[in-house]
Amino acid sequence: MKTRTIAILGATGSIGTQALDIVRRYPEAFKADCLTACGSAEKLFELCRAFRPGVAALVKEPEEIPEDLRSIQWFFGPDSTVRALVASKCQDALCAIVGIAGLDAVWHALDVCERVLLANKEALVTGGDLVMAKAAATGKPLLPVDSEHSAIFQCLQARQGNPVKKLLLTCSGGALRNWKKEDIYHATVRDVLAHPTWNMGGKITVDCASMVNKGLEVIEAHHLFDMPAERIEVVVHPQSVIHSMVEFEDGAVLAQLGMPDMRGPIGYAMGFPHRLPYEAKPLDFAALGHLDFAAPDHDRFPCLGMAIEALKAGGSAPVVLNGANEVAVGAFLREQIPFGRIPEIIRSALDSVPVRAISSISDVYEADRRARECAEKQLGMRNEK
Ligand code: NDP
Ligand code: MG
């Protein structure tokens, strides 16, 4: 394999650091030449010492850049990620920023890179039609990193031009899977962050517990695989061993399996079409004994249904769902609201922000602004806790 240069956008996060584990393992295959973060300056400095990128960026400008890192070309400020990416001229960009904050990077990566490796699902939830149209127009591959979408993408390699009947997205059920409805409302940050199978960043772990994550992933799958909501099914599968499945017209179902370790899907996207040998823990079927499946419980976890409803409503509705969720999750993680307020805040934003058509990225940001305004108003309106 020839060395490819890769920009790791969101290098200090859960996905970013695991991608860098792969770079460390395959120094002849990858050169991480652009590393970016938001405010974790010390963590980024450590990564820069280890990987010596040509370019780096921090949204929040630190007091000073350590002496030994001054030969790196640094960028600071709100648009620093994109400016660093453009300056780096990297062949690939791994978009691993959390939230709609990653949309701009995905958008520009499609202009300046040869391939975009997409972990940031919120970019497709909010700007999906525009991003997919741009990927099609530029002919650039948009390789999924989210484990379910990577699994579907892998299963689709066996498609041979045949139509797909249905996509089946598996779902661990999150930390509160077995909790009673009344207990879920008052789950603490500690309860929610104890994810049973995956080790991830804070926001997505909360999203898993509310199951909005699976809703965001239905929207992501809709865009990536051009599949209507009606043909995307969610299956609760607590062991997280089957990462997702594709059903064909003859009833055959193809699944991709593996231990729950994000280095699998990250490495698959980085190496595509080559599979990088990685010493992942192998599946031991005899030790597993059984795999369990269940239908999602929409009564205890209403966020999944709201996301599907937003997808069907179209236009700005998914942007509003996402924006309200980002505000609510932030407030929950700061312990300003109980967990049960998250679905209430999303519901209210969907009900009160009118659906508008989305025809440009600025339309996306305008809908996001309205959603946040609505959600923040609710946070201020009530004396929480
Ligand atoms: P983390 O919170 O662990 O990391 C987020 C990264 O984004 C950090 O490097 C952070 O920098 C950076 N960042 C945050 N806000 C901004 C901003 N405004 N501008 C620029 N950079 C910013 O998130 P994860 O790694 O868990 O998730 C990243 C994305 O991947 C999410 O969209 C998530 O849904 C998706 N994903 C994650 C999975 C996982 O296993 N973690 C699995 C599947 C999908 P800093 O550290 O300085 O704040
Ligand atoms: Mg996922």
Side-chain angles (χ1 to χ4, degrees), residues 109-321:
L110 281 169
D111 286 320
V112 298
C113 298
E114 291 169 16
R115 312 189 308 171
V116 177
L117 285 47
L118 188 71
N120 174 247
K121 63 191 78 185
E122 295 90 346
L124 284 186
V125 169
T126 57
D129 287 335
L130 303 168
V131 168
M132 292 313 293
K134 185 161 180 173
T138 57
K140 307 240 174 111
L142 196 58
L143 297 165
V145 169
D146 209 348
S147 61
E148 295 76 4
H149 307 75
S150 172
I152 290 168
F153 181 68
Q154 293 181 52
C155 293
L156 289 175
Q157 308 300 313
R159 181 181 187 171
Q160 304 276 348
N162 286 291
V164 168
K165 189 168 178 193
K166 197 158 80 176
L167 303 178
L168 295 113
L169 287 184
T170 53
C171 165
S172 70
L176 311 178
R177 179 173 58 90
N178 292 322
W179 285 43
K180 289 199 204 94
K181 191 174 176 177
E182 52 278 21
D183 295 338
I184 290 174
Y185 197 94
H186 295 287
T188 64
V189 170
R190 203 192 153 108
D191 295 328
V192 164
L193 291 187
H195 194 282
T197 48
W198 295 99
N199 187 8
M200 308 176 287
K203 191 254 178 188
I204 184 175
T205 309
V206 177
D207 287 351
C208 285
S210 72
M211 281 186 68
V212 82
N213 180 59
K214 210 46 56 178
L216 302 181
E217 291 185 352
V218 169
I219 303 174
E220 184 185 9
H222 158 78
H223 289 295
L224 277 173
F225 307 113
D226 193 20
M227 190 61 61
E230 296 73 21
R231 290 202 277 140
I232 306 173
E233 186 179 327
V234 172
V235 185
V236 177
H237 166 46
Q239 292 90 355
S240 302
V241 161
I242 296 182
H243 297 319
S244 275
M245 303 177 261
V246 176
E247 184 179 328
F248 291 92
E249 293 287 347
D250 60 356
V253 177
L254 297 194
Q256 187 262 331
L257 286 73
M259 289 299 286
D261 179 343
M262 279 309 292
R263 278 166 291 208
I266 298 168
Y268 184 73
M270 286 172 69
F272 185 79
H274 307 287
R275 285 184 182 273
L276 305 170
Y278 168 64
E279 288 141 35
K281 213 170 142 207
L283 275 181
D284 181 343
F285 286 96
L288 273 168
H290 58 94
L291 296 177
D292 300 313
F293 305 98
D297 182 338
H298 289 283
D299 182 41
R300 286 185 304 136
F301 300 102
C303 291
L304 171 60
M306 285 189 245
I308 294 169
E309 173 194 322
L311 171 59
K312 289 179 177 167
S316 59
V319 188
V320 170
L321 169 103

